[in-house]
Amino acid sequence: MKIACYCQHVLGIGHFHRSLAICEALAERHETVMILGGPDVNLPESAVHFLQLPGLKMDAEFSELLPCAEGADLKQVKENRRKQLFDFFTSFQPDIFLIELYPFGRKAFRFELDPILDDIGSRTLPPCLRLCSLRDILVEKTDKHKFEARVLQKLNSSFDGLLIHSDPDFIPLQNTFGSMDSITIPYRYTGFIAPTMTRQKAGSMLRQDLGLSAEDKLVVASIGGGNVGAELLYATAQAALLLEQKTNTIHIHLFTGIYSAPGLQEGLKAVPASNITVHSFCSNFPDWLEAADISISMAGYNTCMNLLAAGIPALLYPFAQNREQRMRISAFSRTSDFMLLESEDLEPRHLAEKITAQLRFNKKTSQAQLNGAMLSCKLISDPKLWSQKTR
């Protein structure tokens, strides 16, 4: 089969990496094209093919679209994207069209998605199965009833199925979408999208490369793509100064992310602590978590799945703009050694105490379903599952 997967990231890189994991699983069995249209990302060597639309991103207030290319005209960029997308569907003629998040999010991109969905429905474009790929938690909306009514209208009329990348024993979609009973198309839970657990040897080798003994403690601190969360890394660096006065066995590695502010790395390197090392980005980040004794990070979807796969204790600082990350921390704290960090916990002495406390815990195997990429591939590859309305 031929599969097209649309993924539009606008702030971080979590949406991209989650969709990429699904596409890589699909590409083992099917010709798979991933359609991208956000800020530049490092594309891996992969069996997945990539179609890059002219880049668009959201402004700092998340209120309007902006071209990624400086000086580009927004109206022209939109028109170019619409044409490129239509031409792609005309020539590629996929059997399955997988759309990440829309219509539960990415409303700003309906200018290009609705015409494609409508043309598939009217047979202006060749017919194909239209599936929505959705994460575990939806952000809150000002008018929830209006939002859910709009989602249902588009979902039930223009899609053939819904994949929910969650484990309902931990985070059921109805926690943040109250109209589940009104969904008339088939939907399936896939489990969470997490890295395949074949990295224990890689983690051990990384510790060996770093010269760490069994008594040494490796702390990995990160902020995803780096657009937000710099205060967490600064606080960790200051806490490292205090920890250095008490022990020489704690080694802290800080990852700033590919989208971080230009001065962040320099600011962290200026902290006079010999127990910290500053990195920008690495392609083997799950190996670092496998090697680590604890993690300090925010609580995005991909970060939490990486932590659960590695089984390590974590200090988690939620993104303050919405409820998503705080809810995720709460859901997993019941069975994993995850500790919530509030803003006041970033005071260096408090944070140093919490780091010390978390280092007392050992790794544990998560009870959550983490094989979501492979199960998504299996579900997507079986068109019969999506052939009938549920009600």
Side-chain angles (χ1 to χ4, degrees), residues 85-377:
L85 204 54
F86 182 84
D87 290 345
F88 166 76
F89 272 84
T90 301
S91 60
F92 185 62
Q93 298 186 15
D95 300 290
I96 296 172
F97 183 25
L98 183 66
I99 304 178
E100 198 267 339
L101 193 55
Y102 187 75
F104 293 88
R106 299 292 184 263
K107 183 175 71 171
F109 294 87
R110 60 186 175 184
F111 74 90
E112 63 187 9
L113 289 171
D114 282 354
I116 296 295
L117 290 168
D118 293 345
D119 285 348
I120 292 171
S122 68
R123 300 299 191 264
T124 302
L125 286 171
C128 70
L129 197 65
R130 299 160 296 177
L131 302 177
C132 172
S133 168
L134 186 65
R135 70 181 181 195
D136 53 349
I137 297 171
L138 303 178
V139 299
E140 60 269 43
K141 302 295 180 180
T142 304
D143 188 335
K144 182 179 180 183
H145 295 294
K146 182 179 179 181
F147 163 74
E148 293 191 358
R150 177 180 59 78
V151 169
L152 289 169
Q153 190 281 324
K154 178 55 64 174
L155 186 71
N156 289 335
S157 65
S158 298
F159 285 79
D160 302 295
L162 168 64
L163 295 159
I164 305 166
H165 304 304
S166 182
D167 180 340
D169 289 339
F170 286 82
I171 308 177
L173 184 57
Q174 54 260 38
N175 284 0
T176 53
F177 189 77
S179 301
M180 293 295 293
D181 289 344
S182 297
I183 296 177
T184 61
I185 61 173
Y187 62 84
R188 298 286 190 276
Y189 283 93
T190 69
F192 295 105
I193 311 294
T196 304
M197 283 308 296
T198 58
R199 300 181 178 276
Q200 290 186 353
K201 186 176 180 181
S204 298
M205 291 177 63
L206 181 55
R207 289 185 68 94
Q208 187 175 10
D209 291 343
L210 293 171
L212 301 180
S213 69
E215 291 73 32
D216 286 316
K217 301 297 183 182
L218 174 60
V219 179
V220 172
S222 61
I223 53 173
N227 276 309
V228 295
E231 67 273 20
L232 178 63
L233 295 187
Y234 279 120
T236 302
Q238 293 299 321
L241 281 171
L242 300 177
L243 292 168
E244 188 178 39
Q245 297 170 13
K246 298 180 178 181
T247 177
N248 63 356
T249 63
I250 297 177
H251 308 272
I252 300 177
H253 287 252
L254 309 173
F255 291 83
T256 60
I258 59 174
Y259 299 139
S260 60
L264 178 57
Q265 283 198 56
E266 288 72 17
L268 293 170
K269 289 177 180 178
V271 177
S274 62
N275 58 346
I276 64 173
T277 305
V278 181
H279 310 260
S280 172
F281 172 81
C282 69
S283 59
N284 64 333
F285 190 69
D287 296 349
W288 279 87
L289 294 181
E290 182 59 44
D293 293 282
I294 70 166
S295 167
I296 304 170
S297 69
M298 302 187 77
Y301 182 102
N302 287 6
T303 296
C304 285
M305 297 315 120
N306 287 339
L307 293 172
L308 291 174
I312 60 172
L315 295 170
L316 293 165
Y317 178 62
F319 182 47
Q321 187 170 325
N322 56 55
R323 67 188 175 187
E324 174 205 340
Q325 297 195 6
R326 187 174 291 270
M327 289 182 69
R328 194 173 287 121
I329 296 169
S330 176
F332 293 127
S333 294
R334 295 182 282 114
T335 58
S336 300
D337 293 318
F338 287 4
M339 181 182 292
L340 172 70
L341 290 178
E342 302 286 5
S343 296
E344 55 268 26
D345 294 324
L346 299 192
E347 191 276 324
R349 193 168 301 278
H350 289 167
L351 185 55
E353 291 172 354
K354 290 184 179 295
I355 291 171
T356 302
Q358 285 297 86
L359 283 170
R360 299 190 182 105
F361 292 105
N362 296 316
K363 293 185 177 184
K364 63 171 62 172
T365 301
S366 174
Q367 299 174 24
Q369 295 183 30
L370 301 176
N371 61 337
M374 292 309 299
L375 184 53
S376 294
C377 176

